[in-house]
DNA sequence: GGGTACATGTAATCAGTTACATGATTTA
DNA sequence: TAAATCATGTAACTGATTACATGTACCC
């Protein structure tokens, strides 16, 4: 029962594999909806990946495909035993380091010295409000997750996201009011 | 003085353009060193981009290239007026939303229900220590930036990074000790 | 019964990454 | 002067994104 060693899977591969393992057999469209409600909030990617990635996983022998016989003839994918094992192995590995944040707002702040007057203040206001909106959405989602059982880990992940948003909000507010890290804090 | 509308530039393009604008004429290798010390901490990318991106910017008319005449014959690039203007315009635009965090640790936590026993606890310990290490490095860098003038925006950006690391550390510690968001917080 | 939004995909492109490769300096 | 290590790049590959395109169900 050796697992086929195909071309190394990416994080996105495991994301899709994980969804399939958690949810049971799903069509790409179902995955799309699930992603939009959960993981997509902090790991966004276009819906087309949900059509191209499962076949790739199938080629690696980690998921099984089944095509509906009726009118729509949708493809439905399911993680098999090898897939679940591969996922478990990946989850047990130490996470790769150094992904960074890749936040455009931060990048623009970094180059603040090249900005025209007022641009940094505008950026700070904008970022604060974007982040505030995001936090509200996350709070709503958190309420739903708490009310429904079986989502403990999703809830925890969201919790980290919310803490990130909270610090981002207060940071950008500080920037907007020029109160960032007063010397000799 | 219209700016040529080539193929849209990516965030990385502006990152390189910004470095060139800030630092003045630089070789890719000099950029590499500068990146490692600063922006690379939250926007990592391989050094080869620093060789391929400047020519792309040159093709777009935003930077000028000059090749040394001596032995090394290195290429040295500099943002020109059009480049500085394009950068300023980009900096003034609202930042694009929804980049997410793309943190592998978060992704693994999300799929905690599929993990083998103890894997989440191990993840939490590992993440906490990775983040702690990163925070220490950032603090050192912050010290240097404070001691040397002319880096206010770099310092501010780093400040946000440090706040992120701090919440991440306390979050993962909470996960490790099973104290994440007690019900009815 | 036609328009509009949801659902489901394919194809082409390309930025970003990985792999490789060689020249120049320093050091032992 | 050999061997590391630093410096400087090129080339190939491919995952991720963008653009497109068509089918199906619902509603006015």
């Amino acid at each position: 029962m050796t697992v086929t060693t195909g071309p190394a899977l990416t994080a996105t591969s495991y994301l899709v594999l994980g969804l399939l393992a958690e949810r049971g057999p799903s069509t790409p469209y179902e995955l799309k909806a699930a992603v939009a409600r959960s993981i997509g909030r902090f790991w966004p990617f276009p819906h087309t990946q949900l059509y191209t990635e499962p076949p790739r996983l199938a080629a690696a022998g980690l998921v099984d495909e089944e095509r509906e016989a009726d009118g729509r003839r949708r493809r439905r994918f399911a993680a098999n035993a090898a897939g679940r094992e591969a996922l478990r192995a990946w989850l047990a590995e130490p996470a790769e380091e150094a992904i960074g944040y890749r936040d455009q707002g931060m990048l623009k702040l970094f180059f603040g010295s090249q900005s025209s007057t007022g641009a940094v203040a505008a950026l700070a206001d904008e970022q604060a409000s974007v982040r505030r909106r995001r936090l509200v959405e996350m709070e709503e989602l958190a309420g739903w997750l708490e009310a429904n059982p079986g989502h403990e880990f999703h809830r925890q992940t969201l919790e980290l996201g919310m803490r990130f948003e909270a610090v981002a909000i207060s940071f950008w507010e500080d920037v907007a009011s020029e109160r960032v890290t007063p010397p000799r804090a």
Side-chain angles (χ1 to χ4, degrees), chain A:
Chain A
M1 193 60 66
T2 56
V3 178
T4 324
T5 322
L9 303 177
T10 69
T12 306
S13 307
Y14 286 107
L15 191 165
V16 173
L17 182 57
L19 288 173
L20 256 15
E22 262 193 9
R23 303 175 29 87
S26 312
T27 68
Y29 191 76
E30 287 162 357
L31 294 179
K32 181 183 165 185
V35 163
R37 259 185 279 107
S38 58
I39 192 81
R41 265 148 221 286
F42 68 87
W43 198 295
F45 59 91
H47 74 107
T48 51
Q49 296 274 106
L50 294 171
Y51 289 90
T52 55
E53 197 59 46
R56 212 174 343 218
L57 292 169
L62 303 175
V63 314
D64 297 328
E65 177 181 354
E66 161 196 330
R67 195 179 277 265
E68 290 181 350
D70 67 318
R72 277 280 190 181
R73 300 202 32 112
R74 282 171 293 193
R75 314 163 100 189
R76 188 174 294 274
F77 299 89
N80 58 29
R84 255 175 257 109
E85 181 47 36
L87 177 63
R88 221 173 298 125
W90 179 75
L91 288 171
E93 275 171 21
E96 249 137 73
E97 251 196 84
I99 299 87
Y101 317 112
R102 259 168 217 250
D103 181 281
Q104 267 208 240
M106 278 179 89
L107 188 56
K108 291 190 176 190
L109 178 64
F110 184 84
F111 291 119
S113 67
Q114 308 298 308
S115 293
S116 32
T117 319
V120 170
L123 172 68
D125 286 340
E126 181 227 349
Q127 287 292 301
S129 82
V130 164
R131 298 287 198 159
R132 252 181 248 118
R133 221 172 312 145
R134 240 197 303 209
L135 180 55
V136 169
E137 288 170 17
M138 286 183 176
E139 278 164 349
E140 281 163 11
L141 182 54
W144 186 89
L145 289 177
E146 263 158 34
N148 296 70
H151 297 282
E152 276 62 35
F153 290 102
H154 294 192
R155 170 95 219 353
Q156 280 184 227
T157 308
L158 187 60
E159 167 72 20
L160 178 53
M162 288 165 61
R163 295 195 194 179
F164 278 146
E165 295 308 313
V167 295
I169 291 166
S170 83
F171 174 80
W172 289 113
E173 285 174 351
D174 287 351
V175 172
S177 57
E178 288 172 83
R179 278 190 294 98
V180 187
T181 55
R184 303 295 95 211

